[in-house]
Amino acid sequence: AMDAQAKKAADAQENLKKTAQAQADKAKEQRAALENKASECKKKAEDAKAKAEEAKNSKDDSPSMMERFEAYKSQAKTEADRAYQNKVAALEAKKEELKGAAEAKQAEAGATKAKLEAKMNETGDKAKAEQEELKKKLGEQKAAALAAQENLRKEAEDQASKAAAKGAELQHTATQKADAAKQSQGEYRQALSDKSAEGQKRAQELRAKAQEDSEAASSARRDAWEKQKEELRANAQKYESSAESARTELITSTDEELGDRKAQLEATAQEANKKAAAAQTELKTEAAGRAAEAAEAKKNYEAEAAQHKQDAEAAKKDYEAAKEDDANKPTLKMQFENALQAEVDARANAAAKHKEELRANASKERAAAEGCRLEYEALIDNNTAEGAKRRDELTTAMNNHKKAELEFQVKIDTQNEEDSKAAEKRVSDAEKN
C-alpha cells in the first residue's frame, strides 16, 4: 500500500514539475517576443523623434512642414508608448519564468522524496545503495529549490523597497505635472471662449503648451502607477516566496526530519500566503479606482469634444453668412479653425483615457486572478468537503478573471496597432504634401 501511495505522490509531483516547467518555458518565449517588440517600437519612436526635430529646425515654416512636424511628433509618442508597455510586460514575463523554474525545482525534489519513501520499505544491499543515492539527490534538489525561492524572495524584497522610494518621487512629479496641466488647460479654454481676434490668437499660441502639459501629466501619472503596481506585485512575490520556502521544507522532508517544526512551517506558509493575497487585493482595489477615474475623465473629454464641435459648426455658419467686407470675417474663420482643433485634441485626450481605463481594468483582473490562486494554494491541504468546494469556486473565479484580463489585453493590443497604423498614415500623408 505504501508503494502505491508513494508512487501516486511521486507522479503528482512529476506532473507539477512538468506544469511549472511548461509555464517557465512559455513565459520565456513571451518575454523574448515582448523584448523584440519593445526594441522595434523604440527604434520607430527614435526615428520619428529625429525627423520631428529636423522638421522643427527647418527654415520652411509652411503649413505642410508644420503638419509634418506634428505627424512625426505624434508617431514618436505612439511608438514610445508601445515600447514602454512591451518593456513592462517583458519584465513581468521574466518574473513568471523565474517563478516557474523555482516551482519546477520544488516539485522535482518532492518527487525524489516520494521515490525515497517508496524505497524505504525495501531491504538488502541494492535497496540500501539506492536509498543512499536518493537521499543524496534529495539533499541537493532540496537545497536548489530553497535557494531558488530565497533568490526570488530577496530580489522581490529589494524591488519592493526600490519601487516604494521611486514611486513616492514619481507621485510627487505626477502631482506637479497635473497642476501645471490644469493651469495651462484652463488658460487655453479661457482664451478659446474669448471670441475676439486677440482671444483667438492667444488660444492658438496656448494650444501647444496645453496639449504638451496634458501629455506630460498623463505620462507622469502612468509612470507613478506602474511603480505602485511594481511595489505591490513585488510585495506579493516576497510573501509568496516565503510561503513556498516553507512548503518546500514540508514537501521534501520526512516527518522525522520535521519533528516539531511541521506545525510551525504550515502556519508560516498560511500566514505568508495571506499577506501575498492582501497585496494582490490592494492592487485590485487601486486598479479599479484608476479604471473608474479614467472612465470619468474620458466621459468629460468626450463631452468637451462635442461642445467644440458645436462651436465649430456655429462659427462656420457665421463665417459663411458674413459679407466679404465684414471686418469680423477673419476672426470668425479663426474661431472655426480653433474650435475644430480643440475638438481633435479633446478626442485624442479621450482616446488616451480610454486606453488608461483598459490597462487599469486588465491590471484589476490580473490581481483578482492572482488573489484566487493564492487562496487556492492556502487551501491545498484542506481535505474537508468545504475545502474542496471552495477550491472549485476559486478555480472557476480565477479562470473567469484570466479570461477577462485576456479580453482587455486584446482590446489594448488592437488599439495600439490601430494607433500605430494611424500615426504611420498621418506621416505618409504629410510627406506626400
Side-chain angles (χ1 to χ4, degrees), residues 214-336:
S214 175
E215 283 170 10
S218 185
S219 292
R221 180 183 158 80
R222 179 197 66 184
D223 293 349
W225 166 230
E226 284 299 339
K227 272 295 161 215
Q228 191 182 359
K229 267 200 304 197
E230 197 182 311
E231 182 194 352
L232 289 167
R233 280 184 183 155
N235 272 327
Q237 182 58 58
K238 175 180 78 175
Y239 293 125
E240 197 182 336
S241 290
S242 295
E244 287 303 324
S245 289
R247 265 197 211 107
T248 299
E249 290 275 9
L250 289 163
I251 290 167
T252 57
S253 310
T254 60
D255 285 349
E256 295 80 46
E257 282 173 334
L258 288 170
D260 303 340
R261 290 169 61 233
K262 190 177 180 185
Q264 183 204 334
L265 283 165
E266 280 169 353
T268 301
Q270 287 277 3
E271 199 47 46
N273 241 54
K274 273 185 195 157
K275 284 179 179 171
Q280 291 292 354
T281 301
E282 192 184 336
L283 179 49
K284 184 179 81 172
T285 309
E286 280 288 329
R290 294 250 161 192
E293 273 177 38
E296 185 60 31
K298 177 182 76 173
K299 208 168 78 182
N300 293 340
Y301 278 126
E302 280 168 350
E304 196 183 309
Q307 184 56 57
H308 289 314
K309 190 181 179 186
Q310 272 185 6
D311 293 347
E313 283 164 359
K316 190 183 179 192
K317 248 185 204 161
D318 291 347
Y319 172 72
E320 284 169 352
K323 299 265 193 301
E324 278 309 319
D325 57 355
D326 188 333
N328 202 30
K329 194 155 179 142
T331 306
L332 288 168
K333 186 177 184 233
M334 253 196 295
Q335 281 175 20
F336 164 62

Side-chain angles (χ1 to χ4, degrees), residues 283-429:
L283 179 49
K284 184 179 81 172
T285 309
E286 280 288 329
R290 294 250 161 192
E293 273 177 38
E296 185 60 31
K298 177 182 76 173
K299 208 168 78 182
N300 293 340
Y301 278 126
E302 280 168 350
E304 196 183 309
Q307 184 56 57
H308 289 314
K309 190 181 179 186
Q310 272 185 6
D311 293 347
E313 283 164 359
K316 190 183 179 192
K317 248 185 204 161
D318 291 347
Y319 172 72
E320 284 169 352
K323 299 265 193 301
E324 278 309 319
D325 57 355
D326 188 333
N328 202 30
K329 194 155 179 142
T331 306
L332 288 168
K333 186 177 184 233
M334 253 196 295
Q335 281 175 20
F336 164 62
E337 286 169 350
N338 286 350
L340 215 54
Q341 187 58 64
E343 184 200 345
V344 169
D345 292 343
R347 293 212 187 280
N349 290 339
K353 285 293 169 192
H354 178 58
K355 268 207 279 192
E356 200 178 304
E357 181 191 355
L358 289 175
R359 288 204 287 256
N361 273 323
S363 297
K364 179 188 78 176
E365 295 298 342
R366 180 178 179 164
E370 284 293 292
C372 291
R373 180 181 65 78
L374 288 160
E375 193 187 330
Y376 180 97
E377 285 182 2
L379 291 169
I380 206 92
D381 300 319
N382 183 330
N383 298 317
T384 63
E386 292 93 76
K389 183 171 176 263
R390 182 66 187 138
R391 281 199 298 273
D392 285 346
E393 287 168 1
L394 287 165
T395 302
T396 305
M398 179 173 76
N399 289 335
N400 287 340
H401 287 305
K402 278 185 173 173
K403 190 174 163 228
E405 185 204 352
L406 191 63
E407 282 166 6
F408 280 121
Q409 203 49 58
V410 167
K411 283 180 186 172
I412 293 164
D413 292 343
T414 306
Q415 191 65 56
N416 282 340
E417 283 300 328
E418 282 173 9
D419 289 351
S420 182
K421 279 177 189 157
E424 264 175 31
K425 187 180 181 313
R426 188 176 173 186
V427 162
S428 102
D429 289 349

